[in-house]
Amino acid sequence: MTDVWSLVTTAPTEDDANRIADTLVVERLAGAAWVSGPVRSSWWHLGESGNGQEWRIEVRTTGALRDRLAARITELHPWDNPELTGHQVDWCPDNYRQWIETSTATTT
């Protein structure tokens, strides 16, 4: 059975977030992508604290494509070191799992 993964990143603008999300789906690295925001973020970076507005991108993919999808996010992203995390989905209906597999089938 296919492993389903959820990956999350953020982008500085809504346009960047939509471009990344749309590209991942069109390239069939992700079965679906959701853009939400803006969100307010606080961080520590380059020796100082900061805060600002970001847009959140969440995508679903297979375990087989997880690393390729993560690499593509890094290529598409305007930041040198974007926030990027992921986790395996512990449970979902079998038909959802199959849909993710079918939605990404041409890249495996």
Side-chain angles (χ1 to χ4, degrees), residues 4-11 13-26 29-39 54-62 69 73 83-85 87 89 91-92 96-97 99-100 103-104:
V4 175
W5 279 77
S6 178
L7 276 69
V8 175
T9 190
T10 56
T13 69
E14 184 177 12
D15 287 343
D16 286 327
N18 287 329
R19 178 182 51 79
I20 292 167
D22 292 346
T23 299
L24 298 173
V25 171
V26 167
L29 292 169
W34 299 270
V35 173
S36 58
V39 296
E54 298 175 320
W55 292 81
R56 186 176 189 271
I57 309 159
E58 182 174 357
V59 296
R60 295 287 193 283
T61 194
T62 64
L69 185 140
I73 289 172
E83 180 259 349
L84 179 57
T85 60
H87 68 274
V89 174
W91 179 89
C92 63
Y96 183 80
R97 189 179 307 278
W99 174 75
I100 292 294
S103 298
T104 59

Side-chain angles (χ1 to χ4, degrees), residues 41-88:
S41 298
S42 296
W43 61 82
W44 186 267
H45 185 63
L46 300 175
E48 61 186 32
S49 65
N51 63 67
Q53 183 173 285
E54 298 175 320
W55 292 81
R56 186 176 189 271
I57 309 159
E58 182 174 357
V59 296
R60 295 287 193 283
T61 194
T62 64
L65 290 175
R66 181 199 61 205
D67 293 345
R68 285 178 54 196
L69 185 140
R72 189 65 172 129
I73 289 172
T74 301
E75 290 172 1
L76 293 168
H77 210 286
W79 294 332
D80 292 337
N81 187 24
E83 180 259 349
L84 179 57
T85 60
H87 68 274
Q88 187 173 359

